[in-house]
């Protein structure tokens, strides 16, 4: 399934006020600059309108060799990295947050230029004026900013506080003005956790490549033409918002140009060299992380694009392989030191301080050519040159037909560093095309043509306990949901009765959840709009609503226990069911047993079907993820005992994983269980995390690599639908 989205505002007037179709070249003054920048590239639709994919397809060079061409770190790279480690990273590890600017609300051009050291001149640009100094972003909400500043041991600037509490309404203020009592109750009881109602929603990938390919002046010209195309339309809410958002995008592009100029770069025109292409692209991304603190600030799909420039410059003798690697290393260094001002509570939800600068790579094009390039290898080489790191979140679009040398290099780097995740290229390409990228961990989208309204996730496991207890919280005893009768009596639980009550409770939970998401994104667009990220999108885009669930394996196993074993409830003195006695054997999810796996697939389908019935803000297409790579710990703390034997307060299994220790038939069996979940019910992605000790893969390095490649090939069969993180 794929979508084409066209929104017709009305007839476009001819004659006076007429502007050409989106992206069409309208001026000649940039022709000499473009001729120089694009010299040697094969022309096509991309030099007539915005079409980065067309540029890549016509100009990239697939690489099917091995890693023998790669270069190690240059002396400059090592000096910059050493300075960063000794003067900044080592100090930050002692204090959680190294420094905060408490006086300057963040913006694209709010800070003067900053550098790591005097050698930091390959790819330049910091979020603030000093490495690891965090900026406050109060447009999302002042409460979180003030808490984070105090937790960092800093004093709040009272004048800034006054502005954002008295004069400037924030996204968070607006959300809580609208929230209903039931949303507040669900939020407080943690049946819904992690809603982006106090920080940037993220999950928006600007097509940062456009800055390099076209230059900012051309992007501004096109955006202005898009804005004015419907200038003579009668008033409507859509028309007004369309024009206002385009104005904000144009302002952001002008700020981007100024920020780059402060660093000594004129990015008004397209990049002329590989080094400029990387720098221009990074400036676009830097503008985004300077102005938004989204839950996932992914950078997109860059390697094949960059490789077009690298191959051209290498053939012209302008750079060496060492130079090319140095440029990619320098970019990755910058991505590794991006920081946002977060609270301790936020860190607990996400198990640390991630921001998911996901860099998607590899896979195949629609024409059957591999999208693996030499720069795909260079990206992985940074994990050797700089050492392992979680950022950028390197994501490989895997297919068993990828070049052998690349597959083996991926496996080797995974074994050495535990720093790569893998996704099913076939599923992503079928649904989202061959220029898609991952936002966060598993959320695919067409770059520059699509965005997601991020929505955290509901606690599907806790919803089962609410169904059994008639809406009373098993941890606090509070009546959170009104009007639902609990299961009565002390007889063993009946599967049909429990399932019927679970479906009823899901109506309330899902309805409350989507209502909260609609409110959040309505307010985010009004008070914390991502102007620079959206400036690097088409003017009319596909929007998805990224819903999600947590605790799938617990629900599946508990329902399997009720169906196939004998489960007797245990009540406290108030009649609340707080535990269960389970007698007999029952099948468990994750062992390629259809009895349990079918229950899991039914849960995912049932929840998604309920989501589909609810109208979405801005006509977004509802999607679902099975993803709790980090917040599974927080969900576990807020949830009670289960028929499956899962104990109160203990972490959930991450994502679509089987329960910890329950998958007794090996990794491939767990992959097959996850593969039974219908991707059409979870188009936002399905996550499976596997931990393997290298010794478990074989006795020699070659044997370990061969076996890991075999596991990945077996796991990502054509009908598979999951993302897998392979940890050492």
């Amino acid at each position: 399934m794929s979508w084409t989205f066209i929104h017709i505002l009305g007839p476009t007037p001819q004659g006076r006020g007429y502007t050409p179709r989106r992206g069409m070249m309208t001026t000649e003054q940039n022709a000499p600059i473009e001729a120089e920048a694009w010299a040697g590239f094969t022309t096509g639709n991309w030099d007539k309108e915005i079409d980065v994919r067309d540029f890549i397809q016509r100009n990239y060079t697939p690489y099917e060799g091995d890693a023998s061409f790669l270069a190690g770190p240059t002396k400059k790279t090592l000096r910059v990295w050493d300075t960063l480690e000794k003067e900044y990273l080592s100090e930050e590890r002692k204090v959680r947050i190294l420094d905060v600017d408490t006086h300057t609300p963040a913006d694209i051009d709010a800070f003067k230029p900053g550098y790591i050291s005097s050698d930091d001149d390959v790819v330049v640009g910091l979020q603030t004026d000093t490495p690891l100094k965090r900026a406050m972003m109060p447009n999302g909400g002042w409460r979180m900013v003030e808490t984070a500043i105090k937790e960092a041991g800093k004093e709040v600037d009272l004048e800034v506080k006054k502005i954002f509490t008295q004069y400037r309404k924030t996204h968070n203020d607006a959300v809580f003005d609208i929230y209903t009592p039931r949303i507040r109750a669900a939020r407080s009881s943690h049946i819904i956790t992690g809603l982006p109602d106090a920080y940037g929603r993220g999950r928006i990938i600007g097509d940062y490549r456009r800055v390099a390919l076209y230059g900012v002046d051309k992007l501004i010209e096109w955006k202005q033409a898009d804005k004015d195309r419907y200038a003579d339309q009668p008033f409507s809410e859509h028309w007004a918002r369309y024009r206002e958002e385009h104005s904000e995008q144009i302002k952001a592009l002008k700020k981007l140009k100024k920020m780059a100029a402060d660093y000594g770069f004129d990015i008004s025109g397209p990049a002329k060299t590989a080094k400029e292409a990387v720098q221009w692209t990074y400036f676009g991304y830097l503008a985004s992380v300077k102005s938004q603190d989204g839950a996932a600030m992914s950078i997109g799909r860059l390697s094949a694009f960059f490789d077009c420039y690298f191959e051209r410059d290498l053939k012209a003798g302008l750079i060496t392989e060492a130079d090319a690697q140095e440029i990619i290393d320098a970019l990755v260094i910058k991505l590794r030191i991006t920081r946002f001002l977060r609270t301790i509570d936020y860190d607990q939800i996400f198990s640390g301080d991630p921001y998911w600068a996901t860099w998607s790579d590899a896979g195949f094009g629609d024409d059957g050519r591999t999208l693996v390039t030499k720069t795909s290898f260079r990206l992985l080489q940074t994990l050797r040159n700089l050492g392992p790191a979680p950022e950028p979140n390197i994501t490989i679009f895997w297919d068993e037909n990828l070049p052998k040398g690349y597959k083996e290099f991926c496996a080797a780097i995974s074994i050495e560093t535990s720093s790569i995740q893998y996704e099913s290229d076939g599923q992503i390409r079928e649904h989202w095309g061959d220029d898609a990228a991952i936002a966060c961990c598993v959320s695919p989208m067409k770059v520059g043509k699509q965005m997601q309204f991020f929505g955290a996730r509901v606690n599907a496991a806790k919803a089962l306990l609410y169904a059994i207890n008639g809406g009373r919280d098993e941890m606090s005893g509070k009546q959170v949901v009104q009007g639902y009768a609990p299961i009565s009596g002390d007889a063993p639980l009946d599967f049909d009765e429990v399932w019927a009550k679970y479906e009823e409770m899901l109506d309330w939970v899902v309805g409350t959840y989507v209502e909260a998401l609609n409110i959040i994104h309505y307010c985010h667009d009004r008070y914390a709009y991502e102007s620079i990220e959206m400036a690097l999108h088409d003017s009319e885009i596909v929007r998805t609503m990224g819903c999600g669930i947590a605790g799938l394996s617990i629900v599946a196993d508990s329902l399997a226990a009720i169906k196939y074993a004998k489960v007797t409830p245990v009540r406290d003195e108030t009649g609340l069911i707080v535990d269960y006695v389970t007698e007999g054997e029952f099948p468990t999810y994750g062992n390629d047993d259809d009895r349990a796996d079918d229950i899991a697939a039914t849960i995912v389908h049932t929840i998604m079907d309920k989501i589909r019935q609810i109208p979405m803000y801005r006509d977004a297409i509802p999607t679902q993820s099975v993803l709790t790579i980090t917040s599974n710990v927080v969900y576990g703390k807020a949830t009670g005992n289960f028929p499956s034997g899962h104990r109160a307060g203990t972490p959930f299994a991450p994502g679509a994983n089987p329960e910890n220790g329950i998958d007794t038939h090996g990794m491939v069996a767990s992959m097959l269980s996850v593969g039974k979940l219908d991707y059409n019910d979870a188009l936002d992605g399905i996550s499976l995390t596997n931990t393997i000790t290298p010794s478990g893969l074989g006795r020699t390095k070659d044997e370990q690599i061969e076996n890991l490649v075999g596991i990945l090939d077996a796991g990502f069969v054509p009908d598979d639908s999951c993302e897998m993180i392979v940890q050492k």
Side-chain angles (χ1 to χ4, degrees):
M1 182 187 299
S2 61
W3 295 279
T4 300
F5 182 81
I6 303 175
H7 190 104
I8 304 298
L9 284 164
T12 302
Q14 302 295 322
R16 185 176 61 83
Y18 170 75
T19 53
R21 64 190 178 92
R22 171 172 51 83
M24 186 180 292
M25 299 290 189
T26 60
T27 61
E28 300 296 329
Q29 62 263 32
N30 289 327
I33 298 173
E34 290 163 354
E36 180 183 357
W38 298 342
F41 290 139
T42 300
T43 59
N45 189 59
W46 65 269
D47 66 349
K48 301 176 182 64
E49 59 180 80
I50 297 175
D51 193 345
V52 179
R53 179 193 175 273
D54 182 65
F55 168 79
I56 294 169
Q57 289 293 315
R58 292 179 184 277
N59 290 286
Y60 87 100
T61 305
Y63 180 67
E64 301 199 6
D66 59 22
S68 59
F69 73 93
L70 287 167
T74 64
K75 292 180 179 178
K76 178 181 287 188
T77 297
L78 294 175
R79 284 197 303 269
V80 171
W81 187 244
D82 186 60
T83 299
L84 187 61
E85 170 60 33
K86 289 181 178 178
E87 297 186 15
Y88 298 100
L89 291 170
S90 62
E91 294 301 312
E92 183 187 54
R93 285 192 286 269
K94 299 175 185 177
V95 295
R96 180 176 167 265
I97 292 180
L98 184 62
D99 196 9
V100 181
D101 186 306
T102 61
H103 308 293
T104 312
D107 203 350
I108 295 168
D109 58 351
F111 293 91
K112 65 181 182 181
Y115 302 87
I116 297 170
S117 65
S118 59
D119 277 352
D120 181 19
D121 60 2
V122 178
V123 174
V124 304
L126 301 178
Q127 283 175 292
T128 59
D129 56 353
T130 304
L132 308 186
K133 180 191 287 186
R134 307 185 189 217
M136 56 180 172
M137 299 187 181
N139 288 340
W142 177 256
R143 178 177 53 84
M144 174 174 273
V145 168
E146 182 169 2
T147 300
I149 288 172
K150 291 178 178 178
E151 288 175 348
K154 304 292 183 180
E155 295 293 328
V156 171
D157 185 321
L158 296 180
E159 286 300 313
V160 176
K161 179 176 180 178
K162 185 176 182 180
I163 291 170
F164 287 95
T165 56
Q166 295 186 31
Y167 304 128
R168 207 288 187 182
K169 190 170 187 175
T170 68
H171 163 232
N172 185 246
D173 293 333
V175 167
F176 277 86
D177 281 349
I178 303 174
Y179 267 174
T180 62
R182 69 174 186 171
I183 294 174
R184 289 173 180 263
R187 194 178 184 275
S188 298
S189 66
H190 303 292
I191 199 165
I192 304 175
T193 296
L195 291 170
D197 51 19
Y199 58 91
R201 57 191 167 193
R203 302 281 183 95
I204 301 174
I205 308 174
D207 190 355
Y208 306 111
R209 306 167 302 186
R210 295 183 182 188
V211 181
L213 186 56
Y214 299 110
V216 175
D217 282 357
K218 183 61 68 177
L219 298 178
I220 292 172
E221 177 186 327
W222 284 333
K223 283 293 180 183
Q224 188 64 52
D226 285 338
K227 176 187 174 183
D228 291 340
R229 182 176 307 113
Y230 306 111
D232 295 331
Q233 294 292 299
F235 180 86
S236 69
E237 183 179 352
H238 178 82
W239 174 86
R241 178 164 55 187
Y242 178 91
R243 285 185 57 78
E244 182 181 24
E245 287 182 350
H246 276 69
S247 292
E248 292 300 311
Q249 293 171 23
I250 291 167
K251 292 174 187 176
L253 288 168
K254 291 177 179 178
K255 289 181 180 181
L256 166 61
K257 188 174 170 181
K258 178 182 179 299
M259 182 263 288
D262 290 343
Y263 277 98
F265 290 88
D266 178 4
I267 63 172
S268 59
K272 301 182 184 68
T273 66
K275 186 176 179 180
E276 285 189 354
V278 174
Q279 180 69 71
W280 271 223
T281 301
Y282 174 61
F283 275 143
Y285 181 74
L286 182 61
S288 295
V289 296
K290 278 175 170 283
S291 56
Q292 287 288 330
D293 62 346
M297 299 293 288
S298 300
I299 198 167
R301 197 166 184 174
L302 304 178
S303 294
F305 175 74
F306 287 157
D307 204 74
C308 298
Y309 291 87
F310 281 124
E311 283 295 301
R312 186 183 65 171
D313 286 7
L314 284 164
K315 288 176 182 177
L318 299 176
I319 59 172
T320 65
E321 180 56 39
D323 296 327
Q325 187 65 53
E326 183 180 67
I327 293 168
I328 296 299
D329 286 346
L331 174 59
V332 167
I333 286 174
K334 293 301 190 299
L335 299 181
R336 289 189 180 189
I337 61 172
T338 296
R339 297 289 187 271
F340 295 113
L341 181 61
R342 308 290 201 192
T343 63
I344 293 173
D345 283 347
Y346 180 97
D347 288 356
Q348 289 176 345
I349 291 173
F350 294 103
S351 298
D353 190 21
Y355 73 98
W356 291 287
T358 304
W359 184 324
S360 304
D361 207 349
F364 281 88
D366 290 339
D367 61 2
R369 292 183 298 161
T370 178
L371 283 162
V372 172
T373 64
K374 285 188 174 181
T375 300
S376 303
F377 281 80
R378 294 176 186 121
L379 175 62
L380 297 181
Q381 179 74 350
T382 65
L383 294 167
R384 283 179 171 169
N385 288 355
L386 304 173
E391 302 286 1
N393 181 23
I394 297 174
T395 300
I396 306 303
F397 288 3
W398 189 270
D399 186 288
E400 63 179 342
N401 295 313
L402 287 174
K404 180 175 183 291
Y406 183 69
K407 294 201 304 184
E408 291 177 347
F409 191 55
C410 287
I413 295 296
S414 282
I415 291 168
E416 292 173 19
T417 69
S418 305
S419 298
I420 306 177
Q421 69 177 27
Y422 299 87
E423 311 258 354
S424 172
D425 179 61
Q427 287 285 2
I428 292 170
R429 192 171 68 255
E430 177 185 350
H431 289 84
W432 313 104
D434 62 4
D435 194 37
I438 299 297
C440 191
C441 301
V442 298
S443 305
M445 59 190 65
K446 296 181 179 181
V447 179
K449 301 180 179 301
Q450 182 180 341
M451 66 163 285
Q452 180 191 105
F453 293 141
F454 166 60
R457 51 203 58 88
V458 297
N459 191 333
K462 195 176 184 73
L464 177 64
L465 301 183
Y466 273 35
I468 292 171
N469 277 310
R472 283 185 72 190
D473 191 279
E474 75 286 353
M475 302 292 277
S476 68
K478 292 180 180 179
Q479 188 71 43
V480 176
V481 186
Q482 306 294 327
Y484 292 81
I487 287 178
S488 59
D490 297 322
L493 298 175
D494 176 75
F495 176 83
D496 290 336
E497 181 184 13
V498 171
W499 178 257
K501 287 187 175 293
Y502 187 48
E503 276 218 70
E504 290 179 358
M505 186 57 63
L506 286 175
D507 287 333
W508 186 92
V509 172
V510 169
T512 303
Y513 175 43
V514 175
E515 182 179 63
L517 297 185
N518 283 334
I519 291 168
I520 287 167
H521 295 295
Y522 166 81
C523 295
H524 207 294
D525 277 349
R526 292 190 69 189
Y527 298 103
Y529 181 65
E530 300 91 342
S531 54
I532 188 61
E533 290 163 90
M534 299 312 300
L536 300 174
H537 279 71
D538 291 354
S539 289
E540 294 285 7
I541 61 170
V542 172
R543 291 177 176 86
T544 61
M545 184 70 79
C547 306
I549 59 172
L552 174 63
S553 59
I554 299 172
V555 187
D557 290 352
S558 293
L559 289 172
I562 294 168
K563 186 172 185 177
Y564 294 102
K566 178 182 175 183
V567 177
T568 306
V570 177
R571 300 178 185 273
D572 67 9
E573 63 278 4
T574 70
L576 181 70
I577 297 174
V578 294
D579 207 351
Y580 305 85
V581 175
T582 301
E583 302 171 84
E585 300 293 324
F586 59 92
T588 53
Y589 166 74
N591 294 291
D592 194 23
D593 188 320
D594 286 344
R595 294 175 298 167
D597 297 344
D598 287 350
I599 291 174
T602 300
I603 294 164
V604 174
H605 176 76
T606 299
I607 294 175
M608 188 62 226
D609 191 52
K610 293 180 183 298
I611 292 170
R612 290 188 182 106
Q613 306 309 312
I614 304 172
M616 300 288 159
Y617 171 64
R618 294 188 85 163
D619 297 322
I621 298 166
T623 61
Q624 180 177 214
S625 66
V626 187
L627 168 68
T628 45
I629 289 176
T630 55
S631 53
N632 51 303
V633 176
V634 171
Y635 276 107
K637 288 181 179 179
T639 308
N641 297 311
F642 284 87
S644 64
H646 185 95
R647 305 311 295 166
T650 58
F652 287 7
N657 275 55
E659 276 284 85
N660 296 322
I662 297 299
D663 50 331
T664 58
H665 288 63
M667 184 182 298
V668 173
S670 70
M671 291 179 179
L672 292 172
S673 289
V674 173
K676 295 172 190 174
L677 306 178
D678 189 342
Y679 186 51
N680 290 299
D681 289 328
L683 287 171
D684 195 35
I686 303 170
S687 171
L688 172 65
T689 301
N690 278 305
T691 302
I692 315 168
T693 58
S695 60
L697 289 169
R699 292 169 294 180
T700 66
K701 183 69 174 291
D702 289 344
E703 190 177 40
Q704 291 169 3
I705 291 171
E706 180 181 358
N707 287 335
L708 181 53
V709 168
I711 289 171
L712 291 168
D713 283 345
F716 291 114
V717 293
D719 291 333
D720 199 5
S721 59
C722 71
E723 167 248 26
M724 180 165 60
I725 297 175
V726 177
Q727 296 179 328
K728 189 173 178 181

